[in-house]
Amino acid sequence: MQQTDPDAVLRDFGRLVRERACLPADRRAPGPLRTGVDLGTANIVLSVVDGAGRPVAGASFPSTVVRDGIVVDYVGAVSVVRRLKAELEERLGCDLVQGATAIPPGILPGNAKAIANVVEAAGFEVADVSDEPTAAARVLGLRDGAVVDVGGGTTGISILKDGQVVFTDDEATGGTHMTLVLAGALGIPIAEAEARKTDPAAADEVFAIVQPVVEKMAGIVTRCLAGHQVETIHVVGGACSFDRFVPLFAKRTGRVVVRPAEPLLVTPLGIALYGNAGALAGRAS
Ligand SMILES: Nc1ncnc2c1ncn2[C@@H]1O[C@H](COP(=O)(O)OP(=O)(O)OP(=O)(O)O)[C@@H](O)[C@H]1O
Ligand SMILES: [Mg+2]
């Protein structure tokens, strides 16, 4: 079976997204293109992979139409996905037919249906609905260990053993929570706090303020891991981007903590690796 370095694949995908580029048609593996639609609280991301599960193109848009897996603006969500789909189709020179999506673990069936409805209404045949940290695990080729997806609205936890998901949970804490804490501590508007949070020049000041949020997340994850033999935690999602996030998480959970390249893009790419695409790409399906 072909083996791929997840970090190299993620860096390639990151470049395709940022440069609004695509893998040329003559370098794509045969088979239908598959699209993953990540309806996140902070970002909507579409990822396209070829018949071998390699990234072909992707597009991201900051958005507030979905919160914690719940569609709060259906028309707005459909419109964003439709627009990103059209943009990618133009770039790729072909139609995107099959699409998959993902939900935070444990959301109610009605909310999961609404997520799938958005993808369908945007013009996709919905081929798969997986849970978010499980999608991330496909990219990382993970068969054993834990994936913690620290997104904008929620923190999803998935534990795998021998390639099977044995535990999932989703907790209402994430990057938005950090922004609220920062805004309160500094007495500044939320939009300003969001900008300050991602300003590398303010990293030390910001982390000192949001550290209790990270410690709370680590406490939640430690409780979830109790009773499971997990040595390594893979952290993904935008809110784990801080340099000091990984060492603090390792200290508080007592586990080895690793963060792949392009943490914001891991779950979105994994959503596109549904069916046998994950296995084709040399990863756990
Ligand atoms: N460099 C950075 N430093 C700190 N936080 C960051 C950075 N980049 C992005 N974030 C935060 O990551 C969050 C977005 O991450 P992500 O795109 O994984 O979330 P999402 O998938 O939209 O949300 P969810 O999965 O909870 O629905 C935002 O809160 C954003 O502020
Ligand atoms: Mg997410």
Side-chain angles (χ1 to χ4, degrees):
M1 183 165 61
Q2 175 197 351
Q3 286 299 329
T4 16
D5 169 15
D7 281 346
V9 173
L10 284 160
R11 277 193 208 98
D12 273 353
F13 184 49
R15 188 183 51 76
L16 292 172
V17 173
R18 274 188 291 276
E19 295 177 3
R20 297 171 189 270
C22 69
L23 192 70
D26 61 359
R27 288 180 51 203
R28 294 175 206 158
L33 296 177
R34 300 170 205 222
T35 307
V37 181
D38 186 353
L39 295 168
T41 304
N43 298 295
I44 292 187
V45 186
L46 264 61
S47 315
V48 184
V49 301
D50 68 9
R54 277 184 319 206
V56 163
S60 176
F61 187 75
S63 169
T64 52
V65 292
V66 178
R67 302 242 167 87
D68 313 344
I70 294 167
V71 180
V72 292
D73 174 1
Y74 183 82
V75 174
V78 173
S79 145
V80 173
V81 176
R82 207 186 273 276
R83 194 163 50 71
L84 293 177
K85 179 176 185 281
E87 204 179 299
L88 287 169
E89 287 175 337
E90 196 182 332
R91 207 181 295 166
L92 290 160
C94 61
D95 287 347
L96 296 171
V97 182
Q98 289 186 6
T101 188
I103 51 169
I107 71 164
L108 296 171
N111 296 327
K113 184 85 178 79
I115 294 273
N117 285 348
V118 168
V119 177
E120 192 170 22
F124 285 108
E125 286 171 15
V126 180
D128 185 67
V129 181
S130 43
D131 82 71
E132 290 173 349
T134 304
R138 290 185 200 134
V139 177
L140 305 174
L142 206 65
R143 295 188 57 79
D144 291 285
V147 181
V148 176
D149 183 348
V150 197
T154 64
T155 293
I157 301 134
S158 201
I159 301 176
L160 290 99
K161 193 167 165 42
D162 299 328
Q164 300 296 316
V165 178
V166 294
F167 174 89
T168 55
D169 188 25
D170 199 54
E171 297 287 339
T173 180
T176 307
H177 188 181
M178 293 173 177
T179 305
L180 291 174
V181 168
L182 198 59
L186 299 177
I188 56 176
I190 288 172
E192 202 180 310
E194 178 66 29
R196 180 87 63 102
K197 190 180 71 172
T198 51
D199 175 2
D204 281 343
E205 174 204 29
V206 167
F207 199 77
I209 296 169
V210 303
Q211 179 161 336
V213 181
V214 179
E215 290 185 339
K216 186 176 166 216
M217 289 168 176
I220 291 168
V221 170
T222 304
R223 281 198 293 283
C224 289
L225 297 187
H228 297 277
Q229 268 207 321
V230 171
E231 283 167 20
T232 307
I233 299 171
H234 301 258
V235 288
V236 303
C240 75
S241 301
F242 299 99
D243 284 348
R244 287 165 59 193
F245 187 101
V246 168
L248 180 63
F249 223 69
K251 193 168 166 192
R252 292 287 181 259
T253 58
R255 297 336 200 262
V256 175
V257 176
V258 289
R259 180 181 53 206
E262 304 284 358
L264 281 141
L265 295 177
V266 183
T267 300
L269 181 59
I271 295 172
L273 294 173
Y274 60 90
N276 65 348
L280 285 169
R283 306 175 181 105
S285 57

